[in-house]
Amino acid sequence: MLIVFQLLSGQALTRVFFQITFGVRQGSVLAPFLFAVYVDDIAAQRRFGCNAAVILYADDILLISQSITELQRMLSFCEIELQWLDVSINTSKSGCIRIGKRYYVGCANITTSEGIALQWLKEIHYLGNYIVNARLFKCSTSKCKRSFFRAVNAIFGKVGRVASEEVFLHLLFSKCVPVLMYGLEWYNLNASDLKSLDFTVTRVLMKLFRTSNIDIINDCVHFFDIKLPSTLWQQRANRFCNRNYTRNNNKICHLMSGL
C-alpha cells in the first residue's frame, strides 16, 4: 500500500511517498480478529481473583468484580497492558455500574492513572444492549422500542396506505422487528418484559388495521401467521443456547446443553 502526501511549501508542491508493509484496511473482515489477538494479553494474564472477570470484544472491555478495590486494581492493570500496546482508554466513553442488593448506595470513585474519575452510571451501553443498575441483572428495552418506532414510522411514511398489508408486514418483520429484538436472546426476559414487547408490535398492528379491538388484532395475528416478539425471543434464545453450549468442548457446557 502506498500513501501519498501533498505538502505545500511556499509556491512549490512536494509529494512524499512511503510504503506500509503491514496492517489491514479499516473495516476489513480480518480487522476485528487481528485486534482481538492484539489485545489478548489482557485476558491471558491470570492476575485477577476468582471473583473477577474480564470480557473482551474487539475494543470493548468489560471488567466485572465483587469489590471496589478489586475493580480499581483490574483497571490499573488494564491501563498498564494497554500502554504497553500503545492504546489508551477513552474515559469519556467509560463508566461504572453497580448491580446487587445495594445497587442504590453510592460507591467510591474508580480513577485512572491520570487521576480521572469514572462516573457511576444508572445505565451503560454495551454491544448494542443497555444494562441498568438494579437488584438483579437487567437490560432496558426502552431505547430498542424507540428505535423500533422510528423505523416503523420511516417505512409507514414512505409506503403508508399505498402498499398492501402483506407488503407492510413483510417490511415490518424484516426491517423493524430485528431492531427491537437485537441482542435479547442472551438475556432472561420475564413475563412482564415479553408482554411489553408484544404490545409494542400490537400497537403497530392497531395502526395498520385501523382498530383498537384486541380480538380483531388476535384474528389478524392468526390469519396472517404473525409471530409476536415473545415467540421470536423463545426461538432465538433456544437457538443461541444450543449453538453456544453444544459446540463447546467444556464439560460444564455439555451438561448445560443436556439440561
Side-chain angles (χ1 to χ4, degrees), residues 18-54:
F18 65 93
Q19 186 174 6
I20 298 178
T21 57
F22 59 90
V24 295
R25 66 178 180 83
Q26 184 177 3
S28 66
V29 178
L30 284 175
F33 177 77
L34 294 178
F35 187 83
V37 176
Y38 186 69
V39 299
D40 187 60
D41 290 340
I42 297 177
Q45 300 292 336
R46 305 301 181 186
R47 300 184 184 181
F48 305 131
C50 59
N51 295 325
V54 179

Side-chain angles (χ1 to χ4, degrees), residues 63 71-79 89 110-111 118:
L63 304 179
L71 185 61
Q72 179 66 68
R73 192 175 74 86
M74 294 172 67
L75 177 63
S76 301
F77 171 73
C78 289
E79 283 189 296
I89 296 177
I110 304 295
T111 58
L118 301 182

